[in-house]
Amino acid sequence: MTKVLGIVPPMTQLNAAYPSTAYLTGFLRSRGIDAVQEDLALELALELLSATGLEALRERLGAQPPRRRPARVRGFLARFARYHTTIGPTIAFLQGRDPTLAHRIASRTFLPEGPRFSALENYLADDTGDPLAWAFGALGVEERARHLATLYLNDLADVLREGIDPRFEFVRYAESLACSQPSFEPLRDALAAPPTLIDERLESLTRAALARHRPTLVLISVPFPGTVYGAFRIAQTLKRVAPDLAVALGGGYVNTELRALAEPRVFDYFDFVTLDDGELPVWALIEHLRGERPRERLVRCFVRGDRGVEYLDHREPDIPFAATGTPTWDGLPRERYLSLLDLLNPMHRLWSQGAWNKLTVAHGCYWKQCAFCDVSLDYISRYEAASATVTVDRIARIIAETGHRGFHFVDEAAPPKALRALAAELERRALPVSWWGNIRFEKSFSPALCRELAASGCIAVSGGLEVASDRLLTLMKKGVTVAQVARVTRAFSEAGILVHAYLMYGFPTQTVQETVDALEYVRQLFSAGCIQSGFFHRFACTVHSPVGRDPAAFGVELVPLPAGGFARNDVAYLDPTGVDHDALGVALSRALYNYTHGIGLERDVREWFDTPVPRSTVSRRFVARALAGR
Ligand code: B12
C-alpha cells in the first residue's frame, strides 16, 4: 500500500499554509491514494515560540560564556520570566483564539519590549504622544496589538539568530546556502555541522511526523531558497530513521534553480528530484515504487545512477490543469496559523495576515514575454486555463472544507477574460467570497469590468508597472505604457479595489534620469489615487529570462557563472551605463514608504535622493492628462 506524506519545510510564511502539498494531496486523493500532509514550518515556529521552547532557549543561552552574550540575548535572559508568561497567550491571540488579549497588549504594559520596539519611534506621534495613532486610529486596538505582538516575536527571532543560529529568520531560513549557489559545499558543510537547538527541534518534529503517518513515500516541497536547508535537514533525519523510505524533492526552487542538477551528493538525502508541476512526476513515481513502471519511464526526474546524476523523462503529456483535482488543506491545523502584522504596508498585510485559501485561476502566464521574467520555465510558459465552472466548483469545495471564504489567487497573472467569467459564475451561484491576486494592467480591465470584479469579491490586485518608463517598458516587452497603467489602476481604485504596483529599478541601460522620471510617475499615481501601495525591487538577471539568454539584445554582458553542479539562477552582468543603482534604490524605497502613508506627495522627487540628481523631465500633469484622456 502506498502512503504519501507531503511536507512543507521551514521557513515559509506563518499566516497560511504554502499550497504545494495541498495541491498534491488533493490530486493524489482524487486518484484514490492515501495522502497526508504536514507543515513543519508552522510546527517549528510554534515549538520555538512556546513556553517550553523558550525554556530550552534560556538553557542553551545560559550555558554560553556570559562575556560573549550579545546585548539582545542579555536582554532576553534578564526579562525571561515575562517572556515565559506572555508567550502562550500572545500566540493564542495571534492565532485568533483569544481576541480579548488585544486590550492588554495594546496598552503596552503586557509584553516585554526589546530593541524591535524602537521602530515605533520612527512613526510620527500625534498630540497624545501615541506613535501608532496615525496608523490605526482610535478604534484599531486589535491591529495595534497585532503589530506590537509581531514586534515581540521579531525580538525573539533576533535572540534565536544572535544566540543560536545566525541564519534564522521567520520567513526564510539559511537562504544564502541555496540561493543561486552553484556549489553544494556550503550546504553540505552546514548539514555536517553539529545540530543547533533549531535543528534538534526540527529533527524531533520530523521523527514525530514519521511515526504518526508511517509513509512509504515522502514529498518534500521547496518553494523558495529559504526552505532548502530545512528540507535537507528533514531528509537527513528521514534517511537516518528509515533508510529505505523513498524521499523526493520538488517545488518552485527546484523548478527554477536546480534544472541543471549534476551534484550526486544531493542524493545522499533524496532519492528523486523532480521538475515542474508535480502531479504527473509523482504519479509516475508511485507507479514505479509499486513495480508497475520501470525506472527509465519516470517523468522529469533526476536520480543518482552509476555514472552520476541522470535525468529521466519519459515524455508524457501533463495532466490537464482542469483534471488535477481540488487542493485540500485537510490535516493542516488551520486554526494554528499566525496572523502577523509586520509592515504597515496594506499589500504586505494581505500577504502576512489571514488564512487565505490559495488557488490558481490558470496555469502559467498568458503574456509570457517580459524580458526580466523566467518566461522559459514551464510554470510560466505553459499557459492553460480552466473553465469558470471548474474554478468555482473548486472554490465551493474549498469553502465547504475549510469554512473560509477568502481566496488568494497565486497566478503569475490572472487573465482578464477568465476573471470576468469567474465573476459571472460567482454571481450566478450567489457565492460570497473575497479574493485578490496578481494581474497585468491590461486595457481590458475597463471601469465596468473592475466594478464587476469588485462585486464578485475582489478586494485587491497587484501588478507590474516595473520601471515606469515607456522606453524601458518597450525594451522589456511589458506590453503596457505608463498612461495605460494610470487609467487601469484608477479604474480598479474607483471600484474600491486596493492596487499594489510592483516596481523595478536597475534594468539594463536604465539611466539616472529615467530613475528620477520613474519616481515622478509613481508620485503622480499615488497622488491621483491610482495606486495605494508599491514596492521597488532591484532588477536581478536570471539565467532563464530573456535578458539572461540574450544579454546583447539588452546592451549588457554576463559574467560567467562559477562552476558547480548545484543551483543556478541569478547571474551577474556588466552594464556600460555604470549607474550606482543601489544608491538610487535607497531613495526609491524611502519615497515609496512615505507615499504609501500619504506623506511627501507634494515634494519634488529630487528631495528623496542623498546625492544631487537631475530634475524630472516628466510633466507634473502627466497622470492627470492620461486620466482625462481615457
Ligand atoms: C504566489 C507567489 C508568491 C506569494 C505567496 C507566497 C506564499 N508563501 O504563499 C508572495 C508574493 C508572498 C511570494 C513571495 C515570495 N516568493 Co514567490 N511565488 C509565487 C508564485 C507566483 C506562485 C506560488 C504558488 O503558490 N504556486 C502554486 C503551487 C501549488 O505551485 P508549486 O509550489 O510550484 O507546486 C507545484 C510543483 O512545484 C510541484 N511540487 C511542489 N512541491 C513538490 C514536492 C515534490 C516532492 C514534488 C515531486 C513536486 C512538488 O507540484 C506542485 C503542483 O504542481 C511562484 C511562481 C509560480 N508560478 O509557481 C513564485 C515563486 C515561488 N516565488 C519565488 C520567490 C523567490 C519568492 C520570495 C523569496 C521573493 C522575495 N525575494 O521575497 C518570497 C518568499 C515568501 C515566503 N517566504 O513565503 C520564486 C522562487 C524561485 C527560487 N529562486 O527559488 C518563484 C518560483 C517565482 C520566481 N521565479 O521568481 N511569492
Side-chain angles (χ1 to χ4, degrees):
M1 261 295 277
T2 309
K3 169 123 188 209
V4 181
L5 167 62
I7 296 181
V8 176
M11 295 305 293
T12 59
Q13 280 171 298
L14 297 173
N15 62 306
Y18 183 81
S20 50
T21 61
Y23 276 53
L24 291 172
T25 306
F27 163 72
L28 291 172
R29 288 189 186 174
S30 75
R31 297 242 168 152
I33 301 285
D34 185 3
V36 291
Q37 54 192 329
E38 289 275 348
D39 183 347
L40 294 190
L42 176 75
E43 298 301 338
L44 178 64
L46 291 180
E47 176 117 6
L48 294 169
L49 300 170
S50 65
T52 49
L54 295 192
E55 283 162 26
L57 178 60
R58 178 182 61 168
E59 197 185 305
R60 210 54 69 91
L61 297 172
Q64 294 170 358
R67 282 182 293 111
R68 290 185 27 212
R69 283 181 202 148
R72 285 173 205 270
V73 169
R74 287 200 303 274
F76 167 73
L77 291 175
R79 277 175 288 184
F80 176 77
R82 282 190 65 204
Y83 278 108
H84 192 248
T85 46
T86 48
I87 189 72
T90 305
I91 292 292
F93 166 72
L94 288 170
Q95 289 172 327
R97 292 191 287 117
D98 189 359
T100 56
L101 195 68
H103 299 275
R104 286 218 59 199
I105 295 177
S107 73
R108 295 191 63 184
T109 55
F110 182 64
L111 297 177
E113 299 194 350
R116 287 285 185 145
F117 284 75
S118 62
L120 296 174
E121 283 151 29
N122 296 333
Y123 302 141
L124 305 170
D126 71 352
D127 306 343
T128 61
D130 176 357
L132 287 178
W134 68 271
F136 301 122
L139 293 175
V141 174
E142 213 230 271
E143 299 247 288
R144 177 191 298 246
R146 210 172 274 292
H147 185 51
L148 295 169
T150 303
L151 295 176
Y152 161 87
L153 293 193
N154 288 342
D155 268 329
L156 289 172
D158 290 343
V159 173
L160 280 160
R161 187 164 42 252
E162 290 192 6
I164 302 292
D165 185 341
R167 304 162 305 188
F168 182 79
E169 281 180 69
F170 275 142
V171 291
R172 57 197 67 196
Y173 184 20
E175 189 179 52
S176 64
L177 295 175
C179 193
S180 303
Q181 186 52 263
S183 164
F184 186 60
E185 230 65 4
L187 180 55
R188 200 233 16 209
D189 291 350
L191 293 163
T196 64
L197 175 69
I198 300 168
D199 297 324
E200 286 168 18
R201 288 288 162 269
L202 184 57
E203 174 170 347
S204 67
L205 290 168
T206 306
R207 284 173 182 269
L210 198 56
R212 199 159 43 246
H213 301 295
R214 305 196 165 282
T216 58
L217 168 64
V218 177
L219 308 176
I220 303 187
S221 179
V222 283
F224 318 112
T227 56
V228 174
Y229 173 73
F232 275 78
R233 277 286 184 192
I234 292 168
Q236 189 178 47
T237 302
L238 294 176
K239 286 286 163 205
R240 239 180 244 146
V241 181
D244 297 329
L245 177 64
V247 185
L249 181 73
Y253 169 78
V254 180
N255 304 345
T256 311
E257 303 216 14
L258 298 190
R259 303 198 75 84
L261 182 63
E263 173 52 77
R265 290 171 295 180
V266 166
F267 297 86
D268 294 342
Y269 304 85
F270 295 95
D271 305 293
F272 308 96
V273 178
T274 79
L275 290 185
D276 302 331
D277 280 9
E279 288 77 2
L280 185 61
V282 170
W283 185 248
L285 201 52
I286 290 173
E287 288 187 336
H288 169 63
L289 295 171
R290 283 172 173 170
E292 295 163 5
R293 182 188 276 255
R295 186 170 172 273
E296 56 279 9
R297 289 185 58 201
L298 285 171
V299 176
R300 296 194 298 267
C301 188
F302 291 103
V303 293
R304 180 160 53 188
D306 300 335
R307 293 184 311 278
V309 179
E310 288 174 37
Y311 183 60
L312 304 167
D313 187 12
H314 178 67
R315 287 169 186 270
E316 283 174 39
D318 254 300
I319 295 164
F321 176 58
T324 51
T326 303
T328 175
W329 279 265
D330 182 47
L332 296 179
R334 292 184 65 88
E335 66 299 340
R336 296 175 68 222
Y337 284 85
L338 304 172
S339 263
L340 302 177
L341 206 175
D342 205 337
L343 301 179
L344 302 177
N345 173 298
M347 194 69 196
H348 196 274
R349 284 164 68 174
L350 284 178
W351 288 329
S352 60
Q353 260 181 287
W356 299 96
N357 300 308
K358 312 238 174 180
L359 196 60
T360 320
V361 176
H363 184 282
C365 176
Y366 62 97
W367 175 257
K368 53 185 164 200
Q369 294 187 48
C370 302
F372 55 84
C373 182
D374 288 347
V375 292
S376 61
L377 300 183
D378 180 81
Y379 61 79
I380 295 166
S381 64
R382 188 163 56 80
Y383 176 68
E384 207 189 328
S387 72
T389 323
V390 168
T391 309
V392 180
D393 283 350
R394 287 176 175 168
I395 287 177
R397 223 169 289 146
I398 292 171
I399 293 174
E401 178 193 295
T402 65
H404 285 239
R405 293 176 173 274
F407 288 81
H408 170 190
F409 294 133
V410 291
D411 287 66
E412 286 294 329
K417 246 169 85 182
L419 290 180
R420 168 176 279 139
L422 172 80
E425 185 63 17
L426 286 168
E427 164 95 26
R428 198 183 65 74
R429 298 197 205 179
L431 193 61
V433 295
S434 358
W435 61 268
W436 54 282
N438 205 43
I439 52 132
R440 292 170 40 74
F441 294 127
E442 303 284 1
K443 279 203 238 6
S444 40
F445 284 113
S446 61
L449 177 54
C450 291
R451 284 193 296 272
E452 276 170 55
L453 299 182
S456 79
C458 178
I459 55 161
V461 291
S462 55
L465 168 57
E466 319 304 351
V467 277
S469 144
D470 284 339
R471 177 184 82 83
L472 291 168
L473 285 167
T474 307
L475 178 66
M476 62 168 55
K477 294 208 173 109
K478 183 70 195 178
V480 299
T481 61
V482 180
Q484 174 183 329
V485 171
R487 287 189 284 270
V488 172
T489 51
R490 177 66 171 264
F492 275 111
S493 297
E494 281 180 350
I497 296 170
L498 173 93
V499 182
H500 172 90
Y502 283 109
L503 299 159
M504 181 189 286
Y505 64 97
F507 192 74
T509 71
Q510 183 167 6
T511 61
V512 176
Q513 182 70 61
E514 283 167 329
T515 306
V516 174
D517 289 354
L519 187 57
E520 173 59 18
Y521 284 125
V522 170
R523 184 193 69 76
Q524 293 186 27
L525 289 170
F526 270 98
S527 185
C530 297
I531 60 180
Q532 293 75 40
S533 166
F535 195 83
F536 266 107
H537 301 259
R538 171 81 156 93
F539 165 77
C541 180
T542 70
V543 291
H544 310 294
S545 67
V547 179
R549 295 181 134 207
D550 185 9
F554 299 89
V556 292
E557 199 185 314
L558 298 189
V559 177
L561 281 176
F566 192 50
R568 291 159 57 88
N569 196 36
D570 289 358
V571 51
Y573 61 92
L574 305 170
D575 184 339
T577 53
V579 174
D580 183 357
H581 294 296
D582 291 331
L584 298 176
V586 175
L588 297 176
S589 303
R590 192 184 297 146
L592 250 276
Y593 179 82
N594 282 283
Y595 291 169
T596 306
H597 297 117
I599 300 169
L601 285 164
E602 63 303 328
R603 284 202 211 161
D604 186 315
V605 293
R606 285 176 294 178
E607 289 179 32
W608 300 106
F609 294 86
D610 293 324
T611 48
V613 291
R615 171 198 295 273
S616 154
T617 61
V618 177
S619 152
R620 281 183 76 87
R621 296 196 32 79
F622 178 90
V623 166
R625 267 197 227 115
L627 293 175
R630 103 174 151 194

